[in-house]
Amino acid sequence: MRTTTRRSHRLLALAAVAALTTGVLAGCAGDSDDGDSSGSGNNAGGGKTTLTIGTFGVFGYKQAGLYDEYMKSHPDITIKENVTTRTDVYWPKVLTRLQAGSGTDDIQAIEVGNITEAVQTQGSKFVDLGKDVDKSQWLDWKNAQATTADGKLIGLGTDIGPMAICYRKDLFQKAGLETDRTKLAAQWKGDWNKYVDLGKQYMKKAPSGTKFVDSASSVYNAVLNGESERYYDKSGKVVWDESTGVKNAWDVAMSVATSNMSAKLKQFDKPWDQGYANASFATVACPAWMIGYIQEKSGDAGKGKWDVAAAPTAGNWGGSFIGVPTAGKHQKEAIELAKWLTAPEQQAKVFAKQASFPSTPSAYSTLKPAAATTEFFSNAPITQIFSDSAKTIPAQVFGVKDQPINTALTDIGILQVEQKGKSPEQGWDAATNEIKDVLGQ
Amino acid sequence: MTSPKQALAHPASSAEAAPGSQPGAARGAHGGGTPPKGPSPWRSKLYRWDMKASPYVFIAPFFVIFGAFSLVPLLYTAWYSLHDVQLSSLDTQTWAGLDNYQNLLSSDFFWNALKNTFTIGVISTVPQLMAAIGLAHLLNYRLRGSTMWRVVMLTPYATSVAAATLVFTLLYSWDGGMVNWLLDFVGIDPINWRESDWGSQFAVSSIVIWRWTGYNALIYLAAMQAIPADLYESAAIDGANRWQQFIHVTVPQLRPTILFTVVISTIGATQLFGEPLLFGGVSGSKGGSEHQYQTLGLYMYDQGWIIGNLGKASAIAWSMFLILLIIAAINLLVTRRLRKSQ
């Protein structure tokens, strides 16, 4: 038992060091998400202008070599990208910096879920880009989302998320269903309930360990994203509980949740990724940007087994804008860069690399998916399918608290029914309570 | 020990004694007729100032940083909590008085979060500290490769919350997770760890326990090694076996250390945030579809940064602060009681 005091001192020192490193480690863990250095560009040595661009997730500009290309043709410009991985970390930070009037990047990306909030509350903090660009390049509804009440265009459209249905041809075959993409699309055209019916048919002869769809929430989002009426009306009033769009989407989601055809996964969780690798579900509503994701997560095992068919209704899920904050120091240069990055030719280059779908229709004829992607999705004409969808997407009205309301319905309401066996009424009530809390009622 | 003041003051007084040798004294002489006190008051004043101010200057950085990064935000949060403030319109704050607090008191979500914080706190802290004492006791024996064991103890603590939680989330995954797979061997039906009420709380606690047990064990070990060996020797002479020695010698001697770890763990438990947030995955700030593991920290984050209701989030922050003050007060009372009883 006897130990010298020297050793106990050493141990105490160890404990002390441990206590001190907590702070350091915690700091690192917290910061690892954002490799972000604040501040607008400064004039670096040699008369160069440094433009910073703040993005979240993977925008594909760097990946497609756009920055290098621009810097080569503009030798006096240096571009620096500040990436924050998660949108829910990125956006609050941008909001506070916009309002503080300092620390914003020269160009700031805005996700479609936040664009209404930006338009309605931060309009004066962004440069009006409408005068500098030919607005007709973009899809009308895309421009409309970024335009303030007094006609200011605060963001240029980058990608959009037209949706299709991605499905496992091999599983469909085993379940004795139609596997041809055009015939399938015809079977469920115009009505998501037909898609659910097909799911019921699938489940009767489902290959063991597989379900028809990844989750009821993803079906809810897919349906809602094709409805023109969502949570707010045009005047900005919250109408979520009487909106026909919400009711439609909810009903379809409920028939999925209560008929055992869902793998009950939460999208973008690790188990969802594993679901792709293990082929545990046969269909997923896939916006264009998800194509690359499916390919990556399924790996080589999924090659040639996936196919893409048009969705029952056209809808848009996701996509972003880039805007120029008035607090930036190099507005003129930033506007030029933003224009260039969102021009049809550049959007086509990003599509080739990242499968982010352009918001500029004139790019559609030039789109070429990567060879590997074509092979992976059984030579499906994905550019054709997504462009067709993009052109018929209804203009959707968003609201300030669109995202938290949506989360309440999917991650509280639908999840309770799907995973905890609650009744649809109980799920709806739970979502209602949650939304009241969100709206501060 | 001679105080530095005395030591430093000495040359000053000697300067007075020998005026000619000091440049200041010459200046005094130039003054023509005035007594030669010019240099000394100036210098000694400087010294006195130095003596008085220097310590403050040395400790100032801490207080400046504390003020800038803790006190000001604390007060600002209090100000916010009395206003209706949205994240998207920080510049327009309307006075709300105690509305935010009233809103909290009547909110099921707040009470639910408070309850969860408490239950998760108990089921993570109690087993954690008990296991830590046990481990420390074992480590205190002569062991082969004792340093290695101690390092091993500390590794969970050195891993980041994010990494640890990700691994645990996979282990607890409903479909194909290792925990359910093991349960299946024993013939127990798979449990939906993330959505079941007690299951999710247990899972979150297990991450906390895994990360902090070794850390506490090392603190206990350090304290154990400071216990005089004579106590054990005399206990052994009295015929106490190892277990009796542990109960009657080690534990009473560790009392202040135990109290310390209880306080630290309680504060940690009250602020529990990272583990449940990451365990929840996407939209983790809700703490499950029925908020079954939403802690106060998560509720605050959800209100402030996801929903954008900064006024209410600030009110939650201040409520947490008040709760911690109450815990500190209880702790003080207990400590006093213990001191008296000794």
PDB file of all heavy atoms in Angstrom, chain B residues 254-277:
ATOM      1  N   LEU B 254     -11.368   9.895   2.205  1.00  0.00           N
ATOM      2  CA  LEU B 254     -11.618  10.474   0.880  1.00  0.00           C
ATOM      3  C   LEU B 254     -12.757  11.482   0.887  1.00  0.00           C
ATOM      4  O   LEU B 254     -13.038  12.099  -0.119  1.00  0.00           O
ATOM      5  CB  LEU B 254     -11.968   9.369  -0.120  1.00  0.00           C
ATOM      6  CG  LEU B 254     -10.835   8.543  -0.699  1.00  0.00           C
ATOM      7  CD1 LEU B 254     -11.380   7.621  -1.766  1.00  0.00           C
ATOM      8  CD2 LEU B 254      -9.771   9.437  -1.293  1.00  0.00           C
ATOM      9  N   ARG B 255     -13.419  11.627   2.038  1.00  0.00           N
ATOM     10  CA  ARG B 255     -14.658  12.390   2.067  1.00  0.00           C
ATOM     11  C   ARG B 255     -14.593  13.742   1.330  1.00  0.00           C
ATOM     12  O   ARG B 255     -15.439  14.020   0.482  1.00  0.00           O
ATOM     13  CB  ARG B 255     -15.118  12.580   3.509  1.00  0.00           C
ATOM     14  CG  ARG B 255     -16.628  12.633   3.594  1.00  0.00           C
ATOM     15  CD  ARG B 255     -17.065  12.863   4.988  1.00  0.00           C
ATOM     16  NE  ARG B 255     -17.306  11.614   5.698  1.00  0.00           N
ATOM     17  CZ  ARG B 255     -17.449  11.554   7.022  1.00  0.00           C
ATOM     18  NH1 ARG B 255     -17.321  12.646   7.753  1.00  0.00           N
ATOM     19  NH2 ARG B 255     -17.689  10.410   7.601  1.00  0.00           N
ATOM     20  N   PRO B 256     -13.568  14.572   1.604  1.00  0.00           N
ATOM     21  CA  PRO B 256     -13.532  15.857   0.888  1.00  0.00           C
ATOM     22  C   PRO B 256     -13.407  15.676  -0.620  1.00  0.00           C
ATOM     23  O   PRO B 256     -14.043  16.408  -1.401  1.00  0.00           O
ATOM     24  CB  PRO B 256     -12.286  16.547   1.432  1.00  0.00           C
ATOM     25  CG  PRO B 256     -11.839  15.759   2.598  1.00  0.00           C
ATOM     26  CD  PRO B 256     -12.441  14.413   2.534  1.00  0.00           C
ATOM     27  N   THR B 257     -12.629  14.671  -1.011  1.00  0.00           N
ATOM     28  CA  THR B 257     -12.453  14.431  -2.444  1.00  0.00           C
ATOM     29  C   THR B 257     -13.764  13.980  -3.075  1.00  0.00           C
ATOM     30  O   THR B 257     -14.132  14.423  -4.170  1.00  0.00           O
ATOM     31  CB  THR B 257     -11.389  13.350  -2.682  1.00  0.00           C
ATOM     32  OG1 THR B 257     -10.287  13.628  -1.835  1.00  0.00           O
ATOM     33  CG2 THR B 257     -10.942  13.323  -4.116  1.00  0.00           C
ATOM     34  N   ILE B 258     -14.473  13.092  -2.358  1.00  0.00           N
ATOM     35  CA  ILE B 258     -15.754  12.620  -2.881  1.00  0.00           C
ATOM     36  C   ILE B 258     -16.693  13.800  -3.067  1.00  0.00           C
ATOM     37  O   ILE B 258     -17.354  13.946  -4.099  1.00  0.00           O
ATOM     38  CB  ILE B 258     -16.378  11.570  -1.937  1.00  0.00           C
ATOM     39  CG1 ILE B 258     -15.504  10.320  -1.922  1.00  0.00           C
ATOM     40  CG2 ILE B 258     -17.798  11.237  -2.361  1.00  0.00           C
ATOM     41  CD1 ILE B 258     -15.956   9.265  -0.957  1.00  0.00           C
ATOM     42  N   LEU B 259     -16.707  14.668  -2.060  1.00  0.00           N
ATOM     43  CA  LEU B 259     -17.572  15.830  -2.142  1.00  0.00           C
ATOM     44  C   LEU B 259     -17.218  16.679  -3.364  1.00  0.00           C
ATOM     45  O   LEU B 259     -18.083  17.136  -4.098  1.00  0.00           O
ATOM     46  CB  LEU B 259     -17.425  16.654  -0.867  1.00  0.00           C
ATOM     47  CG  LEU B 259     -18.666  17.426  -0.493  1.00  0.00           C
ATOM     48  CD1 LEU B 259     -19.786  16.479  -0.131  1.00  0.00           C
ATOM     49  CD2 LEU B 259     -18.366  18.368   0.640  1.00  0.00           C
ATOM     50  N   PHE B 260     -15.928  16.851  -3.565  1.00  0.00           N
ATOM     51  CA  PHE B 260     -15.458  17.635  -4.701  1.00  0.00           C
ATOM     52  C   PHE B 260     -15.957  17.035  -6.018  1.00  0.00           C
ATOM     53  O   PHE B 260     -16.531  17.725  -6.866  1.00  0.00           O
ATOM     54  CB  PHE B 260     -13.929  17.688  -4.677  1.00  0.00           C
ATOM     55  CG  PHE B 260     -13.313  18.225  -5.939  1.00  0.00           C
ATOM     56  CD1 PHE B 260     -13.334  19.578  -6.223  1.00  0.00           C
ATOM     57  CD2 PHE B 260     -12.698  17.363  -6.840  1.00  0.00           C
ATOM     58  CE1 PHE B 260     -12.777  20.064  -7.376  1.00  0.00           C
ATOM     59  CE2 PHE B 260     -12.136  17.846  -8.009  1.00  0.00           C
ATOM     60  CZ  PHE B 260     -12.173  19.198  -8.277  1.00  0.00           C
ATOM     61  N   THR B 261     -15.782  15.711  -6.153  1.00  0.00           N
ATOM     62  CA  THR B 261     -16.201  15.092  -7.420  1.00  0.00           C
ATOM     63  C   THR B 261     -17.717  15.140  -7.572  1.00  0.00           C
ATOM     64  O   THR B 261     -18.218  15.288  -8.684  1.00  0.00           O
ATOM     65  CB  THR B 261     -15.740  13.624  -7.500  1.00  0.00           C
ATOM     66  OG1 THR B 261     -16.177  12.952  -6.340  1.00  0.00           O
ATOM     67  CG2 THR B 261     -14.239  13.522  -7.629  1.00  0.00           C
ATOM     68  N   VAL B 262     -18.429  15.026  -6.460  1.00  0.00           N
ATOM     69  CA  VAL B 262     -19.895  15.103  -6.553  1.00  0.00           C
ATOM     70  C   VAL B 262     -20.304  16.472  -7.087  1.00  0.00           C
ATOM     71  O   VAL B 262     -21.144  16.586  -7.988  1.00  0.00           O
ATOM     72  CB  VAL B 262     -20.555  14.836  -5.182  1.00  0.00           C
ATOM     73  CG1 VAL B 262     -22.022  15.230  -5.202  1.00  0.00           C
ATOM     74  CG2 VAL B 262     -20.410  13.374  -4.801  1.00  0.00           C
ATOM     75  N   VAL B 263     -19.656  17.508  -6.550  1.00  0.00           N
ATOM     76  CA  VAL B 263     -20.007  18.859  -6.994  1.00  0.00           C
ATOM     77  C   VAL B 263     -19.685  19.042  -8.478  1.00  0.00           C
ATOM     78  O   VAL B 263     -20.526  19.495  -9.261  1.00  0.00           O
ATOM     79  CB  VAL B 263     -19.252  19.913  -6.158  1.00  0.00           C
ATOM     80  CG1 VAL B 263     -19.482  21.301  -6.730  1.00  0.00           C
ATOM     81  CG2 VAL B 263     -19.711  19.856  -4.724  1.00  0.00           C
ATOM     82  N   ILE B 264     -18.469  18.634  -8.845  1.00  0.00           N
ATOM     83  CA  ILE B 264     -18.063  18.797 -10.242  1.00  0.00           C
ATOM     84  C   ILE B 264     -18.994  18.019 -11.171  1.00  0.00           C
ATOM     85  O   ILE B 264     -19.450  18.522 -12.196  1.00  0.00           O
ATOM     86  CB  ILE B 264     -16.601  18.301 -10.431  1.00  0.00           C
ATOM     87  CG1 ILE B 264     -15.648  19.191  -9.631  1.00  0.00           C
ATOM     88  CG2 ILE B 264     -16.207  18.278 -11.890  1.00  0.00           C
ATOM     89  CD1 ILE B 264     -15.558  20.607 -10.133  1.00  0.00           C
ATOM     90  N   SER B 265     -19.320  16.781 -10.773  1.00  0.00           N
ATOM     91  CA  SER B 265     -20.177  15.958 -11.624  1.00  0.00           C
ATOM     92  C   SER B 265     -21.588  16.540 -11.706  1.00  0.00           C
ATOM     93  O   SER B 265     -22.232  16.471 -12.748  1.00  0.00           O
ATOM     94  CB  SER B 265     -20.271  14.530 -11.094  1.00  0.00           C
ATOM     95  OG  SER B 265     -18.997  14.011 -10.919  1.00  0.00           O
ATOM     96  N   THR B 266     -22.060  17.091 -10.594  1.00  0.00           N
ATOM     97  CA  THR B 266     -23.405  17.656 -10.616  1.00  0.00           C
ATOM     98  C   THR B 266     -23.465  18.843 -11.567  1.00  0.00           C
ATOM     99  O   THR B 266     -24.411  18.990 -12.351  1.00  0.00           O
ATOM    100  CB  THR B 266     -23.825  18.127  -9.209  1.00  0.00           C
ATOM    101  OG1 THR B 266     -23.472  17.120  -8.286  1.00  0.00           O
ATOM    102  CG2 THR B 266     -25.304  18.378  -9.149  1.00  0.00           C
ATOM    103  N   ILE B 267     -22.439  19.679 -11.503  1.00  0.00           N
ATOM    104  CA  ILE B 267     -22.402  20.820 -12.419  1.00  0.00           C
ATOM    105  C   ILE B 267     -22.358  20.314 -13.855  1.00  0.00           C
ATOM    106  O   ILE B 267     -23.093  20.786 -14.727  1.00  0.00           O
ATOM    107  CB  ILE B 267     -21.185  21.719 -12.108  1.00  0.00           C
ATOM    108  CG1 ILE B 267     -21.387  22.384 -10.757  1.00  0.00           C
ATOM    109  CG2 ILE B 267     -21.004  22.770 -13.187  1.00  0.00           C
ATOM    110  CD1 ILE B 267     -20.220  23.200 -10.288  1.00  0.00           C
ATOM    111  N   GLY B 268     -21.507  19.307 -14.077  1.00  0.00           N
ATOM    112  CA  GLY B 268     -21.409  18.740 -15.420  1.00  0.00           C
ATOM    113  C   GLY B 268     -22.744  18.181 -15.879  1.00  0.00           C
ATOM    114  O   GLY B 268     -23.160  18.393 -17.015  1.00  0.00           O
ATOM    115  N   ALA B 269     -23.443  17.491 -14.969  1.00  0.00           N
ATOM    116  CA  ALA B 269     -24.713  16.865 -15.332  1.00  0.00           C
ATOM    117  C   ALA B 269     -25.764  17.920 -15.647  1.00  0.00           C
ATOM    118  O   ALA B 269     -26.585  17.753 -16.543  1.00  0.00           O
ATOM    119  CB  ALA B 269     -25.195  15.953 -14.209  1.00  0.00           C
ATOM    120  N   THR B 270     -25.732  19.034 -14.899  1.00  0.00           N
ATOM    121  CA  THR B 270     -26.717  20.087 -15.140  1.00  0.00           C
ATOM    122  C   THR B 270     -26.517  20.699 -16.520  1.00  0.00           C
ATOM    123  O   THR B 270     -27.456  21.145 -17.158  1.00  0.00           O
ATOM    124  CB  THR B 270     -26.595  21.180 -14.065  1.00  0.00           C
ATOM    125  OG1 THR B 270     -26.488  20.551 -12.803  1.00  0.00           O
ATOM    126  CG2 THR B 270     -27.788  22.098 -14.080  1.00  0.00           C
ATOM    127  N   GLN B 271     -25.255  20.720 -16.947  1.00  0.00           N
ATOM    128  CA  GLN B 271     -24.972  21.347 -18.230  1.00  0.00           C
ATOM    129  C   GLN B 271     -24.878  20.343 -19.375  1.00  0.00           C
ATOM    130  O   GLN B 271     -24.429  20.709 -20.467  1.00  0.00           O
ATOM    131  CB  GLN B 271     -23.664  22.127 -18.132  1.00  0.00           C
ATOM    132  CG  GLN B 271     -23.760  23.243 -17.116  1.00  0.00           C
ATOM    133  CD  GLN B 271     -22.443  23.940 -16.919  1.00  0.00           C
ATOM    134  OE1 GLN B 271     -21.388  23.341 -17.080  1.00  0.00           O
ATOM    135  NE2 GLN B 271     -22.505  25.203 -16.551  1.00  0.00           N
ATOM    136  N   LEU B 272     -25.279  19.098 -19.119  1.00  0.00           N
ATOM    137  CA  LEU B 272     -25.153  18.040 -20.129  1.00  0.00           C
ATOM    138  C   LEU B 272     -25.726  18.486 -21.468  1.00  0.00           C
ATOM    139  O   LEU B 272     -26.863  18.940 -21.555  1.00  0.00           O
ATOM    140  CB  LEU B 272     -25.893  16.794 -19.641  1.00  0.00           C
ATOM    141  CG  LEU B 272     -25.720  15.561 -20.529  1.00  0.00           C
ATOM    142  CD1 LEU B 272     -24.280  15.105 -20.512  1.00  0.00           C
ATOM    143  CD2 LEU B 272     -26.631  14.453 -20.050  1.00  0.00           C
ATOM    144  N   PHE B 273     -24.918  18.384 -22.521  1.00  0.00           N
ATOM    145  CA  PHE B 273     -25.358  18.922 -23.803  1.00  0.00           C
ATOM    146  C   PHE B 273     -24.853  18.104 -24.990  1.00  0.00           C
ATOM    147  O   PHE B 273     -25.646  17.591 -25.776  1.00  0.00           O
ATOM    148  CB  PHE B 273     -24.894  20.384 -23.916  1.00  0.00           C
ATOM    149  CG  PHE B 273     -25.133  20.992 -25.246  1.00  0.00           C
ATOM    150  CD1 PHE B 273     -26.420  21.303 -25.646  1.00  0.00           C
ATOM    151  CD2 PHE B 273     -24.084  21.256 -26.108  1.00  0.00           C
ATOM    152  CE1 PHE B 273     -26.658  21.871 -26.882  1.00  0.00           C
ATOM    153  CE2 PHE B 273     -24.312  21.813 -27.346  1.00  0.00           C
ATOM    154  CZ  PHE B 273     -25.599  22.125 -27.731  1.00  0.00           C
ATOM    155  N   GLY B 274     -23.538  17.962 -25.083  1.00  0.00           N
ATOM    156  CA  GLY B 274     -22.949  17.352 -26.273  1.00  0.00           C
ATOM    157  C   GLY B 274     -23.415  15.935 -26.526  1.00  0.00           C
ATOM    158  O   GLY B 274     -23.795  15.586 -27.652  1.00  0.00           O
ATOM    159  N   GLU B 275     -23.422  15.115 -25.486  1.00  0.00           N
ATOM    160  CA  GLU B 275     -23.767  13.706 -25.669  1.00  0.00           C
ATOM    161  C   GLU B 275     -25.187  13.523 -26.195  1.00  0.00           C
ATOM    162  O   GLU B 275     -25.374  12.866 -27.218  1.00  0.00           O
ATOM    163  CB  GLU B 275     -23.561  12.914 -24.362  1.00  0.00           C
ATOM    164  CG  GLU B 275     -22.106  12.640 -24.019  1.00  0.00           C
ATOM    165  CD  GLU B 275     -21.469  13.765 -23.213  1.00  0.00           C
ATOM    166  OE1 GLU B 275     -22.093  14.837 -23.118  1.00  0.00           O
ATOM    167  OE2 GLU B 275     -20.357  13.570 -22.692  1.00  0.00           O
ATOM    168  N   PRO B 276     -26.211  14.083 -25.517  1.00  0.00           N
ATOM    169  CA  PRO B 276     -27.561  13.884 -26.062  1.00  0.00           C
ATOM    170  C   PRO B 276     -27.753  14.523 -27.434  1.00  0.00           C
ATOM    171  O   PRO B 276     -28.453  13.964 -28.279  1.00  0.00           O
ATOM    172  CB  PRO B 276     -28.480  14.535 -25.020  1.00  0.00           C
ATOM    173  CG  PRO B 276     -27.618  15.384 -24.184  1.00  0.00           C
ATOM    174  CD  PRO B 276     -26.249  14.790 -24.230  1.00  0.00           C
ATOM    175  N   LEU B 277     -27.103  15.671 -27.672  1.00  0.00           N
ATOM    176  CA  LEU B 277     -27.263  16.342 -28.973  1.00  0.00           C
ATOM    177  C   LEU B 277     -26.787  15.435 -30.098  1.00  0.00           C
ATOM    178  O   LEU B 277     -27.483  15.217 -31.087  1.00  0.00           O
ATOM    179  CB  LEU B 277     -26.486  17.650 -29.008  1.00  0.00           C
ATOM    180  CG  LEU B 277     -26.560  18.397 -30.341  1.00  0.00           C
ATOM    181  CD1 LEU B 277     -27.902  19.103 -30.479  1.00  0.00           C
ATOM    182  CD2 LEU B 277     -25.440  19.404 -30.492  1.00  0.00           C
TER     183      LEU B 277
END
